[in-house]
Amino acid sequence: RYIGDWSSDVCSSDLELHANKTWDELEARSFPLLDVRKTRRMAFGAQGFATFNSLELNKFQRDNDKNVCEEKYRIVFTTEQRVATRTFHFRTLSLPLVITTGASQGSNAHGSLLWQCYSCDDVMQFPLVTPPKLPWSKVSEMLNQKFKTLGGRDLRDDERLHLASRLSALPKSNINGQTEIQFRKFCLDKMMDVKDSKDAKNKSATFWMWVLSVFNLTKVYLKEYWENGFIDGFSDKEESEKKLKAMKPFKNFTFLLRFSDKVITDGQGQNMCGAISVSFVYQSDNGSGDIKVGNAKPFAAEKLKSKNLAKLVKSVRLKEENTEEVSLKWLMSGERVLDASESFYEPSSYIKTNVVDKDYLEFEERLYFRLSNLSLNDKTPKEEPRNDYPILKRSRPSTSTKPTETSYSTD
């Protein structure tokens, strides 16, 4: 049975769950789960189990004063065992759960349960109590442990500070381990709009939906890069610019990879994906010696489905007047600056490469940027590409097995 939150006049802190009176009172505050198919059972002995293949919730009613994510439940499992002339009643509880009625509720329900399990010392506590706020130190560790499931490193202090600032809407200088983080801001209140939504209406996202979308993107498309420390991670444009400009010694055409703060591609529930952005630094060749930072359009899941991250970054080419094209040469992540050609671009066992059909010509796609008056950001422009930003397009390759020329046009 699903068991909801109890009122304070029913439960007290010293309530003994296994007292008969307690379980009797549960009957009036529960919703039955019907076993609509035959349950697989085994005689209780050295090992006993029951497999519920299809359970159906019956006569369920929500609390109209609560959000879906605020209503937590447990399943109560009961059984009887007769030993000689005595009958023993066994009962146990499941971990907390949220009842959802649509895929769009899945992501915030996930965040709500994560908050619930990290907010108490005993996840089996009963009745269920969800604290309205937690110290940032606990929320920070919760997010860190979530990303640790991907393998690789812990979140750096500067990444945690960036997350705390986005979550609390406080300046980074005002945040410490005791800063209070509200549950509503974590997975109930809107933090941002969802870009690239397939729906005509704008959709919104909570803080947890954004974090989960980044997690999904990393898990599906970027796991190897994350494990090998190639992704700088969570930082805003301003912080990335400072890192690149302060690099010692300075290396021209250095780039770092950060998760976009603005782009979430549309998806159902827990399948939402974020995007990864490239920030790069270069020294102007116009005689002034000015150091500038640019930001390429974020790479979303649609791009990563057809090409791996290394190929997408390699397609970004920089070009100044009367000079040869230049690719991004150095990769910065944390305190490390690596030769991208040896560590990042080089095909290896930990970077998945796309298999090219033998009937199609293999080609290299390049995206050019002129460095004069360069101004790129996360926002996708709606207007057509300008003439001073040539983008190479290719005609459809021939299906012939014989080598043919691939034609290009420049817009």
Side-chain angles (χ1 to χ4, degrees):
R1 295 177 181 272
Y2 281 100
I3 307 300
D5 295 330
W6 286 10
S7 57
S8 58
D9 60 331
V10 175
C11 286
S12 60
S13 58
D14 59 350
L15 183 64
E16 175 55 51
L17 267 178
H18 295 282
N20 289 332
K21 182 180 179 181
T22 302
W23 291 102
D24 292 341
E25 291 173 346
L26 284 177
E27 294 294 330
R29 293 166 176 81
S30 65
F31 306 103
L33 273 172
L34 302 181
D35 186 12
V36 296
R37 294 181 183 177
K38 186 176 180 181
T39 298
R40 182 185 175 197
R41 303 176 187 275
M42 180 179 180
F44 201 90
Q47 290 184 338
F49 65 86
T51 303
F52 301 92
N53 293 319
S54 184
L55 296 177
E56 186 177 285
L57 186 61
N58 191 30
K59 298 179 181 179
F60 172 70
Q61 292 182 343
R62 289 198 183 278
D63 186 340
N64 294 330
D65 295 330
K66 289 186 177 182
N67 185 284
V68 171
C69 300
E70 294 178 289
E71 290 188 290
K72 311 269 193 340
Y73 301 88
R74 294 184 188 274
I75 299 177
V76 177
F77 298 95
T78 64
T79 190
E80 294 181 356
Q81 177 65 28
R82 186 175 180 82
V83 178
T85 59
R86 298 186 61 184
T87 300
F88 296 90
H89 299 273
F90 299 96
R91 304 177 180 91
T92 190
L93 296 170
S94 73
L95 289 171
L97 55 90
V98 173
I99 301 174
T100 61
T101 54
S104 60
Q105 300 171 345
S107 56
N108 286 329
H110 181 184
S112 176
L113 293 173
L114 199 63
W115 180 284
Q116 178 71 39
C117 291
Y118 264 84
S119 64
C120 57
D121 295 329
D122 180 12
V123 294
M124 300 306 295
Q125 71 172 8
F126 198 82
L128 285 164
V129 178
T130 303
K133 53 191 176 183
L134 289 174
W136 167 244
S137 58
K138 180 159 285 191
V139 178
S140 171
E141 186 57 27
M142 174 174 65
L143 296 174
N144 182 61
Q145 290 301 322
K146 177 66 176 177
F147 275 85
K148 283 286 284 184
T149 62
L150 296 173
R153 62 177 177 83
D154 290 290
L155 296 178
R156 299 187 309 271
D157 290 342
D158 62 300
E159 291 181 283
R160 299 188 190 209
L161 201 57
H162 176 65
L163 291 169
S165 181
R166 294 211 76 192
L167 179 52
S168 64
L170 294 173
K172 294 179 181 178
S173 58
N174 293 355
I175 296 172
N176 57 51
Q178 297 306 311
T179 300
E180 293 183 345
I181 303 299
Q182 296 181 8
F183 173 69
R184 290 201 61 84
K185 287 189 174 182
F186 185 77
C187 66
L188 295 182
D189 293 345
K190 168 187 172 181
M191 185 188 73
M192 60 185 289
D193 291 325
V194 176
K195 290 192 174 184
D196 300 331
S197 174
K198 297 176 183 177
D199 194 336
K201 297 180 180 179
N202 289 332
K203 295 183 179 180
S204 60
T206 63
F207 170 83
W208 173 251
M209 289 172 70
W210 169 65
V211 170
L212 186 60
S213 71
V214 170
F215 178 88
N216 290 341
L217 183 82
T218 307
K219 181 179 180 180
V220 178
Y221 301 106
L222 308 174
K223 194 170 186 292
E224 294 83 0
Y225 300 97
W226 176 262
E227 289 177 341
N228 287 278
F230 293 152
I231 299 176
D232 193 65
F234 294 99
S235 62
D236 55 30
K237 285 185 181 179
E238 293 73 17
E239 189 63 31
S240 297
E241 181 175 343
K242 289 179 182 178
K243 288 181 183 179
L244 290 167
K245 286 186 173 181
M247 177 177 44
K248 301 293 182 182
F250 178 79
K251 293 182 181 292
N252 209 12
F253 304 115
T254 298
F255 68 98
L256 61 76
L257 300 164
R258 63 179 183 84
F259 299 123
S260 173
D261 283 347
K262 297 181 179 179
V263 178
I264 298 179
T265 54
D266 194 15
Q268 285 294 315
Q270 296 189 63
N271 296 323
M272 299 180 75
C273 273
I276 189 164
S277 194
V278 181
S279 297
F280 54 89
V281 64
Y282 63 94
Q283 192 165 20
S284 178
D285 197 26
N286 59 10
S288 64
D290 294 338
I291 296 177
K292 299 181 179 180
V293 175
N295 296 277
K297 179 183 176 181
F299 300 127
E302 285 299 320
K303 284 282 187 180
L304 292 163
K305 285 179 182 178
S306 58
K307 288 189 176 182
N308 63 39
L309 181 60
K311 286 189 175 182
L312 289 173
V313 175
K314 196 173 184 179
S315 71
V316 178
R317 297 296 179 104
L318 311 179
K319 183 175 177 60
E320 287 194 288
E321 296 293 340
N322 303 319
T323 62
E324 294 183 359
E325 63 184 52
V326 180
S327 62
L328 300 174
K329 296 180 178 180
W330 304 91
L331 171 64
M332 184 179 191
S333 180
E335 300 297 324
R336 302 189 307 165
V337 178
L338 307 172
D339 186 337
S341 63
E342 295 180 358
S343 59
F344 184 72
Y345 296 139
E346 185 69 22
S348 59
S349 59
Y350 54 80
I351 295 180
K352 297 177 182 177
T353 56
N354 296 324
V355 178
V356 179
D357 194 308
K358 64 180 181 179
D359 293 333
Y360 286 80
L361 295 177
E362 189 172 2
F363 67 95
E364 184 179 71
E365 183 180 7
R366 298 179 181 180
L367 175 63
Y368 290 88
F369 294 97
R370 294 190 186 278
L371 300 185
S372 56
N373 301 319
L374 180 62
S375 177
L376 302 173
N377 51 46
D378 278 348
K379 187 175 181 180
T380 306
K382 295 182 180 179
E383 63 270 12
E384 293 296 323
R386 289 160 37 188
N387 290 333
D388 58 344
Y389 291 86
I391 301 177
L392 294 183
K393 295 182 178 179
R394 62 181 178 86
S395 62
R396 185 172 181 177
S398 169
T399 57
S400 172
T401 56
K402 297 181 180 180
T404 59
E405 292 185 358
T406 303
S407 61
Y408 294 88
S409 62
T410 303
D411 290 349

